[in-house]
Structures are given as structure tokens and as C-alpha cells.
Amino acid sequence: MKHDITLDFDETLFSTSIQIKRFLNQLFGIEIPLMTYLCGHSLHSLVLEHLPPGSVLDEGDLYEILGRDFLASMAWHDDIRPMTGVSEIIPELAKKYNLHIATARQASSRLVVETLLERFFPKCISSTHFVWTHLGNKEFKGIPKREFVKSLKKPYAYVDDNPKETEAILGVADTVILLDPEGHHTNVHIETHCVTSWEDIGKLLLP
């Protein structure tokens, strides 16, 4: 039986943060710099920082709009491309492991996510887990990535660009990898492998 590897989606497999900021800039008529670092910074707080002083923005409203008009929109994702080096590594990993996606995106983005995965990594991904499901009326149900990874039969490795997410998986997967191409995270848990490229990930996970 193959062991399981779980991969984050945004900024781990695909570079998407610039498109998200373009969407928010257009929606609210603001100017979030496209190169602003995003990991660990909620979209709600990021938008509030760039709205005029005294502005009010309901968090539930924002995430309802995001799920409907960005996450579920193939048009906003047409120019999304894989992270550097990932296209060479994923097919090789898929020969040896069962590959799964665990993403903090809402389930409304399933068609978009699965279209991109099949476009760039055909028949490489075994399953996809979405942390958030919109129940309506600004209510959301969440099943954490940790719970998904725990449900796998042989959770060998987990890869994410967010140190909080990688730390949450410690003790569940045998190998936890933090992808940090820009060197934003200098203080990570001692049990986490911090790498700067998909080439490094390949060296850790491939024979």
C-alpha cells in the first residue's frame, strides 16, 4: 500500500496570491500592493488596512463574496500557474505515493481547483479536502487539515507554505515540510523541514 502525502494548494502548488489581491482591489476600489506578503494575514484584516479610516466590513460578507465571485470563478484562475519546479516533482511523487490536497479554500472552489489539478497534474491527485463549507447566511463549517490528514491510512508527509498549518500537523504525519521560497520564516518548529524550493522537496521525498 502506498503512503500518503498531503499538499496545500495556494502558494504551495499554485501561485495565486496576486490574483486574490487583484480581485480584492477591484471589488473594493483599493490598492493592496500585489507583492504584499500574505501568509498568516487574514484577507479580512488585509482589506480593512487599505479601506478609508472608519470603514466597516463584515467578515462574513467578505467570505461569502470571495467564495462566490473569486474562488468559484474559472475566469479569475485562467492565468494561474504552478509554483516553480512543482511540475517536475508532482508526477514523480505520484508514482510512489498517494497525493492529496488539503486547502483552506471554501468548497465552492472545487471545480476550479480540480480543473487546475487535472490541467497541470493529470491523474496525479487522489483526493481533495476543502476546510470550509459555506452553509449560507454568513455561516461556515470547517474541518481542519489536521483532521483530514489523521483520517488517511498512511500519512507519511505534509507540505504547506504556512508555518501555523505545518505546526498543526506535527505528530500526525511522519514528515512535515514548510515551503518558504522567499525566506519569510526563520523561526520554525525544530521538527519541521523548512525548504526553499520544490527541488528540495523532491530530495526529501523521492529516492
Side-chain angles (χ1 to χ4, degrees):
M1 179 183 292
K2 289 183 178 180
H3 286 68
D4 298 292
I5 291 179
T6 304
L7 308 165
D8 177 45
F9 185 82
D10 295 279
E11 303 306 311
T12 298
L13 280 183
F14 291 91
S15 179
T16 59
S17 65
I18 287 178
Q19 282 82 354
I20 291 173
K21 283 174 277 192
R22 283 177 176 153
F23 171 78
L24 295 172
N25 284 346
Q26 178 177 304
L27 178 65
F28 293 104
I30 56 180
E31 290 295 333
I32 301 170
L34 296 182
M35 299 312 295
T36 295
Y37 180 56
L38 192 61
C39 182
H41 196 156
S42 79
L43 293 179
H44 182 245
S45 61
L46 184 66
V47 171
L48 281 177
E49 282 184 10
H50 291 83
L51 288 174
S55 297
V56 176
L57 174 62
D58 184 87
E59 188 171 17
D61 285 335
L62 172 61
Y63 288 112
E64 282 191 341
I65 294 169
L66 187 74
R68 182 187 67 236
D69 296 340
F70 177 80
L71 296 177
S73 169
M74 200 63 232
W76 273 104
H77 290 76
D78 271 343
D79 59 349
I80 296 291
R81 295 294 180 268
M83 299 287 287
T84 300
V86 71
S87 296
E88 292 75 29
I89 301 299
I90 288 295
E92 296 304 311
L93 288 176
K95 294 175 185 178
K96 185 178 180 182
Y97 303 98
N98 294 316
L99 302 184
H100 308 273
I101 305 301
T103 173
R105 284 176 169 239
Q106 297 174 37
S108 61
S109 66
R110 179 175 294 279
L111 178 60
V112 168
V113 167
E114 293 184 348
T115 296
L116 290 174
L117 292 172
E118 189 60 24
R119 177 182 297 173
F120 292 101
F121 314 118
K123 309 204 182 303
C124 287
I125 307 301
S126 297
S127 70
T128 306
H129 170 67
F130 297 85
V131 169
W132 295 105
T133 300
H134 182 214
L135 303 178
N137 195 30
K138 297 188 283 189
E139 292 186 26
F140 297 85
K141 176 184 178 181
I143 300 176
K145 294 179 181 182
R146 179 180 175 89
E147 296 306 309
F148 172 75
V149 175
K150 284 175 65 176
S151 74
L152 300 173
K153 292 183 178 179
K154 291 182 176 291
Y156 174 66
Y158 176 81
V159 184
D160 204 310
D161 70 304
N162 188 327
K164 291 182 180 179
E165 298 282 13
T166 55
E167 188 169 0
I169 306 298
L170 291 172
V172 177
D174 297 326
T175 302
V176 179
I177 301 173
L178 174 64
L179 178 61
D180 186 19
E182 304 300 325
H184 292 293
H185 309 299
T186 56
N187 299 312
V188 297
H189 196 286
I190 193 170
E191 296 178 39
T192 301
H193 296 277
C194 188
V195 301
T196 59
S197 69
W198 268 91
E199 181 181 1
D200 292 336
I201 294 171
K203 290 176 181 177
L204 283 170
L205 299 179
L206 293 171

PDB file of all heavy atoms in Angstrom, residues 34 62 77 86-87 90-91 100 102 108 114-115 135 138-139 148 161 166-167 193 199 203:
ATOM      1  N   LEU A  34       0.533  44.365  -4.967  1.00  0.00           N
ATOM      2  CA  LEU A  34       0.477  42.983  -5.415  1.00  0.00           C
ATOM      3  C   LEU A  34       1.587  42.128  -4.805  1.00  0.00           C
ATOM      4  O   LEU A  34       1.449  40.911  -4.697  1.00  0.00           O
ATOM      5  CB  LEU A  34       0.530  42.907  -6.938  1.00  0.00           C
ATOM      6  CG  LEU A  34      -0.662  43.560  -7.646  1.00  0.00           C
ATOM      7  CD1 LEU A  34      -0.533  43.392  -9.149  1.00  0.00           C
ATOM      8  CD2 LEU A  34      -1.988  42.972  -7.172  1.00  0.00           C
ATOM      9  N   LEU A  62     -17.574  39.374   3.433  1.00  0.00           N
ATOM     10  CA  LEU A  62     -16.385  39.256   2.594  1.00  0.00           C
ATOM     11  C   LEU A  62     -16.185  37.824   2.121  1.00  0.00           C
ATOM     12  O   LEU A  62     -15.960  37.576   0.930  1.00  0.00           O
ATOM     13  CB  LEU A  62     -15.148  39.719   3.361  1.00  0.00           C
ATOM     14  CG  LEU A  62     -13.806  39.458   2.657  1.00  0.00           C
ATOM     15  CD1 LEU A  62     -13.734  40.189   1.319  1.00  0.00           C
ATOM     16  CD2 LEU A  62     -12.639  39.847   3.545  1.00  0.00           C
ATOM     17  N   HIS A  77      -9.082  32.450 -12.562  1.00  0.00           N
ATOM     18  CA  HIS A  77      -7.995  31.478 -12.392  1.00  0.00           C
ATOM     19  C   HIS A  77      -7.369  31.038 -13.711  1.00  0.00           C
ATOM     20  O   HIS A  77      -6.497  30.168 -13.716  1.00  0.00           O
ATOM     21  CB  HIS A  77      -8.517  30.243 -11.642  1.00  0.00           C
ATOM     22  CG  HIS A  77      -8.828  30.498 -10.206  1.00  0.00           C
ATOM     23  ND1 HIS A  77      -9.967  31.169  -9.793  1.00  0.00           N
ATOM     24  CD2 HIS A  77      -8.147  30.175  -9.066  1.00  0.00           C
ATOM     25  CE1 HIS A  77      -9.973  31.235  -8.468  1.00  0.00           C
ATOM     26  NE2 HIS A  77      -8.892  30.646  -8.004  1.00  0.00           N
ATOM     27  N   VAL A  86       7.403  22.678  -9.414  1.00  0.00           N
ATOM     28  CA  VAL A  86       6.430  21.679  -8.960  1.00  0.00           C
ATOM     29  C   VAL A  86       6.018  20.729 -10.083  1.00  0.00           C
ATOM     30  O   VAL A  86       5.750  19.546  -9.854  1.00  0.00           O
ATOM     31  CB  VAL A  86       5.194  22.370  -8.325  1.00  0.00           C
ATOM     32  CG1 VAL A  86       4.356  23.069  -9.361  1.00  0.00           C
ATOM     33  CG2 VAL A  86       4.350  21.364  -7.558  1.00  0.00           C
ATOM     34  N   SER A  87       5.990  21.218 -11.316  1.00  0.00           N
ATOM     35  CA  SER A  87       5.536  20.379 -12.442  1.00  0.00           C
ATOM     36  C   SER A  87       6.455  19.192 -12.688  1.00  0.00           C
ATOM     37  O   SER A  87       6.012  18.165 -13.225  1.00  0.00           O
ATOM     38  CB  SER A  87       5.426  21.221 -13.715  1.00  0.00           C
ATOM     39  OG  SER A  87       4.434  22.217 -13.564  1.00  0.00           O
ATOM     40  N   ILE A  90       5.782  16.664  -9.016  1.00  0.00           N
ATOM     41  CA  ILE A  90       4.493  16.018  -8.719  1.00  0.00           C
ATOM     42  C   ILE A  90       4.308  14.694  -9.456  1.00  0.00           C
ATOM     43  O   ILE A  90       3.916  13.685  -8.830  1.00  0.00           O
ATOM     44  CB  ILE A  90       3.323  16.975  -9.008  1.00  0.00           C
ATOM     45  CG1 ILE A  90       3.269  18.080  -7.957  1.00  0.00           C
ATOM     46  CG2 ILE A  90       1.985  16.216  -9.034  1.00  0.00           C
ATOM     47  CD1 ILE A  90       2.964  17.612  -6.556  1.00  0.00           C
ATOM     48  N   PRO A  91       4.555  14.602 -10.771  1.00  0.00           N
ATOM     49  CA  PRO A  91       4.374  13.294 -11.425  1.00  0.00           C
ATOM     50  C   PRO A  91       5.264  12.200 -10.846  1.00  0.00           C
ATOM     51  O   PRO A  91       4.853  11.031 -10.770  1.00  0.00           O
ATOM     52  CB  PRO A  91       4.748  13.591 -12.888  1.00  0.00           C
ATOM     53  CG  PRO A  91       4.501  15.058 -13.055  1.00  0.00           C
ATOM     54  CD  PRO A  91       4.892  15.664 -11.735  1.00  0.00           C
ATOM     55  N   HIS A 100      -2.689  13.883  -1.970  1.00  0.00           N
ATOM     56  CA  HIS A 100      -3.953  14.502  -1.589  1.00  0.00           C
ATOM     57  C   HIS A 100      -3.755  16.007  -1.465  1.00  0.00           C
ATOM     58  O   HIS A 100      -2.658  16.480  -1.145  1.00  0.00           O
ATOM     59  CB  HIS A 100      -4.437  13.953  -0.249  1.00  0.00           C
ATOM     60  CG  HIS A 100      -4.475  12.458  -0.188  1.00  0.00           C
ATOM     61  ND1 HIS A 100      -5.567  11.726  -0.600  1.00  0.00           N
ATOM     62  CD2 HIS A 100      -3.538  11.555   0.232  1.00  0.00           C
ATOM     63  CE1 HIS A 100      -5.317  10.438  -0.435  1.00  0.00           C
ATOM     64  NE2 HIS A 100      -4.089  10.313   0.071  1.00  0.00           N
ATOM     65  N   ALA A 102      -5.125  19.377   0.620  1.00  0.00           N
ATOM     66  CA  ALA A 102      -5.892  19.923   1.745  1.00  0.00           C
ATOM     67  C   ALA A 102      -5.758  21.431   1.676  1.00  0.00           C
ATOM     68  O   ALA A 102      -4.666  21.971   1.839  1.00  0.00           O
ATOM     69  CB  ALA A 102      -5.379  19.392   3.076  1.00  0.00           C
ATOM     70  N   SER A 108     -16.741  25.832  -2.459  1.00  0.00           N
ATOM     71  CA  SER A 108     -17.258  26.436  -3.697  1.00  0.00           C
ATOM     72  C   SER A 108     -16.213  26.462  -4.800  1.00  0.00           C
ATOM     73  O   SER A 108     -16.549  26.604  -5.978  1.00  0.00           O
ATOM     74  CB  SER A 108     -17.736  27.864  -3.428  1.00  0.00           C
ATOM     75  OG  SER A 108     -16.668  28.669  -2.963  1.00  0.00           O
ATOM     76  N   GLU A 114     -10.074  21.442  -9.000  1.00  0.00           N
ATOM     77  CA  GLU A 114      -9.907  20.165  -9.685  1.00  0.00           C
ATOM     78  C   GLU A 114      -9.599  20.358 -11.166  1.00  0.00           C
ATOM     79  O   GLU A 114      -8.878  19.542 -11.763  1.00  0.00           O
ATOM     80  CB  GLU A 114     -11.146  19.300  -9.464  1.00  0.00           C
ATOM     81  CG  GLU A 114     -11.267  18.883  -7.994  1.00  0.00           C
ATOM     82  CD  GLU A 114     -12.421  17.953  -7.700  1.00  0.00           C
ATOM     83  OE1 GLU A 114     -13.291  17.783  -8.596  1.00  0.00           O
ATOM     84  OE2 GLU A 114     -12.467  17.395  -6.588  1.00  0.00           O
ATOM     85  N   THR A 115     -10.105  21.442 -11.773  1.00  0.00           N
ATOM     86  CA  THR A 115      -9.755  21.744 -13.162  1.00  0.00           C
ATOM     87  C   THR A 115      -8.276  22.052 -13.291  1.00  0.00           C
ATOM     88  O   THR A 115      -7.588  21.555 -14.201  1.00  0.00           O
ATOM     89  CB  THR A 115     -10.585  22.934 -13.686  1.00  0.00           C
ATOM     90  OG1 THR A 115     -11.978  22.576 -13.701  1.00  0.00           O
ATOM     91  CG2 THR A 115     -10.153  23.325 -15.103  1.00  0.00           C
ATOM     92  N   LEU A 135     -22.450  27.453   4.659  1.00  0.00           N
ATOM     93  CA  LEU A 135     -23.777  26.925   4.960  1.00  0.00           C
ATOM     94  C   LEU A 135     -24.894  27.901   4.596  1.00  0.00           C
ATOM     95  O   LEU A 135     -26.070  27.558   4.671  1.00  0.00           O
ATOM     96  CB  LEU A 135     -23.868  26.580   6.450  1.00  0.00           C
ATOM     97  CG  LEU A 135     -22.825  25.590   6.967  1.00  0.00           C
ATOM     98  CD1 LEU A 135     -23.002  25.383   8.467  1.00  0.00           C
ATOM     99  CD2 LEU A 135     -22.892  24.267   6.228  1.00  0.00           C
ATOM    100  N   LYS A 138     -23.980  33.706   5.957  1.00  0.00           N
ATOM    101  CA  LYS A 138     -22.683  34.037   6.559  1.00  0.00           C
ATOM    102  C   LYS A 138     -22.217  33.034   7.613  1.00  0.00           C
ATOM    103  O   LYS A 138     -21.436  33.353   8.498  1.00  0.00           O
ATOM    104  CB  LYS A 138     -22.708  35.454   7.140  1.00  0.00           C
ATOM    105  CG  LYS A 138     -22.935  36.538   6.085  1.00  0.00           C
ATOM    106  CD  LYS A 138     -22.766  37.932   6.634  1.00  0.00           C
ATOM    107  CE  LYS A 138     -23.963  38.357   7.441  1.00  0.00           C
ATOM    108  NZ  LYS A 138     -23.903  39.800   7.807  1.00  0.00           N
ATOM    109  N   GLU A 139     -22.683  31.791   7.490  1.00  0.00           N
ATOM    110  CA  GLU A 139     -22.240  30.732   8.385  1.00  0.00           C
ATOM    111  C   GLU A 139     -21.362  29.749   7.621  1.00  0.00           C
ATOM    112  O   GLU A 139     -21.665  29.383   6.482  1.00  0.00           O
ATOM    113  CB  GLU A 139     -23.432  29.987   8.983  1.00  0.00           C
ATOM    114  CG  GLU A 139     -24.262  30.826   9.946  1.00  0.00           C
ATOM    115  CD  GLU A 139     -25.337  30.002  10.617  1.00  0.00           C
ATOM    116  OE1 GLU A 139     -25.151  28.771  10.737  1.00  0.00           O
ATOM    117  OE2 GLU A 139     -26.349  30.580  11.018  1.00  0.00           O
ATOM    118  N   PHE A 148      -8.236  15.924   8.467  1.00  0.00           N
ATOM    119  CA  PHE A 148      -8.160  15.202   7.198  1.00  0.00           C
ATOM    120  C   PHE A 148      -6.921  14.314   7.150  1.00  0.00           C
ATOM    121  O   PHE A 148      -6.997  13.138   6.795  1.00  0.00           O
ATOM    122  CB  PHE A 148      -8.143  16.180   6.023  1.00  0.00           C
ATOM    123  CG  PHE A 148      -7.864  15.519   4.704  1.00  0.00           C
ATOM    124  CD1 PHE A 148      -8.839  14.764   4.078  1.00  0.00           C
ATOM    125  CD2 PHE A 148      -6.608  15.616   4.106  1.00  0.00           C
ATOM    126  CE1 PHE A 148      -8.572  14.115   2.866  1.00  0.00           C
ATOM    127  CE2 PHE A 148      -6.338  14.989   2.904  1.00  0.00           C
ATOM    128  CZ  PHE A 148      -7.326  14.230   2.278  1.00  0.00           C
ATOM    129  N   ASP A 161       2.873  26.151   2.861  1.00  0.00           N
ATOM    130  CA  ASP A 161       3.691  27.363   2.936  1.00  0.00           C
ATOM    131  C   ASP A 161       3.431  28.153   4.212  1.00  0.00           C
ATOM    132  O   ASP A 161       4.066  29.187   4.438  1.00  0.00           O
ATOM    133  CB  ASP A 161       3.423  28.268   1.725  1.00  0.00           C
ATOM    134  CG  ASP A 161       2.034  28.895   1.769  1.00  0.00           C
ATOM    135  OD1 ASP A 161       1.042  28.147   1.863  1.00  0.00           O
ATOM    136  OD2 ASP A 161       1.934  30.134   1.722  1.00  0.00           O
ATOM    137  N   THR A 166       1.728  23.926   9.178  1.00  0.00           N
ATOM    138  CA  THR A 166       2.670  22.813   9.323  1.00  0.00           C
ATOM    139  C   THR A 166       2.794  22.394  10.782  1.00  0.00           C
ATOM    140  O   THR A 166       2.840  21.203  11.096  1.00  0.00           O
ATOM    141  CB  THR A 166       4.056  23.174   8.751  1.00  0.00           C
ATOM    142  OG1 THR A 166       4.544  24.377   9.362  1.00  0.00           O
ATOM    143  CG2 THR A 166       4.000  23.369   7.250  1.00  0.00           C
ATOM    144  N   GLU A 167       2.823  23.370  11.684  1.00  0.00           N
ATOM    145  CA  GLU A 167       2.940  23.037  13.107  1.00  0.00           C
ATOM    146  C   GLU A 167       1.746  22.227  13.580  1.00  0.00           C
ATOM    147  O   GLU A 167       1.886  21.334  14.430  1.00  0.00           O
ATOM    148  CB  GLU A 167       3.091  24.307  13.941  1.00  0.00           C
ATOM    149  CG  GLU A 167       3.401  24.031  15.394  1.00  0.00           C
ATOM    150  CD  GLU A 167       3.803  25.268  16.176  1.00  0.00           C
ATOM    151  OE1 GLU A 167       3.847  26.362  15.597  1.00  0.00           O
ATOM    152  OE2 GLU A 167       4.084  25.117  17.377  1.00  0.00           O
ATOM    153  N   HIS A 193      10.735  20.433   8.479  1.00  0.00           N
ATOM    154  CA  HIS A 193      11.745  20.666   7.455  1.00  0.00           C
ATOM    155  C   HIS A 193      11.396  21.958   6.721  1.00  0.00           C
ATOM    156  O   HIS A 193      10.342  22.044   6.081  1.00  0.00           O
ATOM    157  CB  HIS A 193      11.776  19.513   6.452  1.00  0.00           C
ATOM    158  CG  HIS A 193      12.190  18.207   7.040  1.00  0.00           C
ATOM    159  ND1 HIS A 193      13.511  17.852   7.220  1.00  0.00           N
ATOM    160  CD2 HIS A 193      11.453  17.164   7.495  1.00  0.00           C
ATOM    161  CE1 HIS A 193      13.578  16.650   7.750  1.00  0.00           C
ATOM    162  NE2 HIS A 193      12.344  16.206   7.935  1.00  0.00           N
ATOM    163  N   GLU A 199      12.538  21.581  -5.647  1.00  0.00           N
ATOM    164  CA  GLU A 199      13.684  20.692  -5.815  1.00  0.00           C
ATOM    165  C   GLU A 199      14.086  20.106  -4.463  1.00  0.00           C
ATOM    166  O   GLU A 199      14.381  18.910  -4.346  1.00  0.00           O
ATOM    167  CB  GLU A 199      14.864  21.446  -6.429  1.00  0.00           C
ATOM    168  CG  GLU A 199      16.086  20.569  -6.668  1.00  0.00           C
ATOM    169  CD  GLU A 199      17.250  21.340  -7.264  1.00  0.00           C
ATOM    170  OE1 GLU A 199      17.111  22.569  -7.474  1.00  0.00           O
ATOM    171  OE2 GLU A 199      18.294  20.713  -7.513  1.00  0.00           O
ATOM    172  N   LYS A 203      14.105  16.118  -3.099  1.00  0.00           N
ATOM    173  CA  LYS A 203      15.234  15.449  -2.442  1.00  0.00           C
ATOM    174  C   LYS A 203      14.817  14.774  -1.142  1.00  0.00           C
ATOM    175  O   LYS A 203      15.358  13.722  -0.765  1.00  0.00           O
ATOM    176  CB  LYS A 203      16.338  16.464  -2.169  1.00  0.00           C
ATOM    177  CG  LYS A 203      17.042  16.972  -3.429  1.00  0.00           C
ATOM    178  CD  LYS A 203      18.057  18.059  -3.078  1.00  0.00           C
ATOM    179  CE  LYS A 203      18.743  18.581  -4.340  1.00  0.00           C
ATOM    180  NZ  LYS A 203      19.681  19.689  -4.041  1.00  0.00           N
TER     181      LYS A 203
END
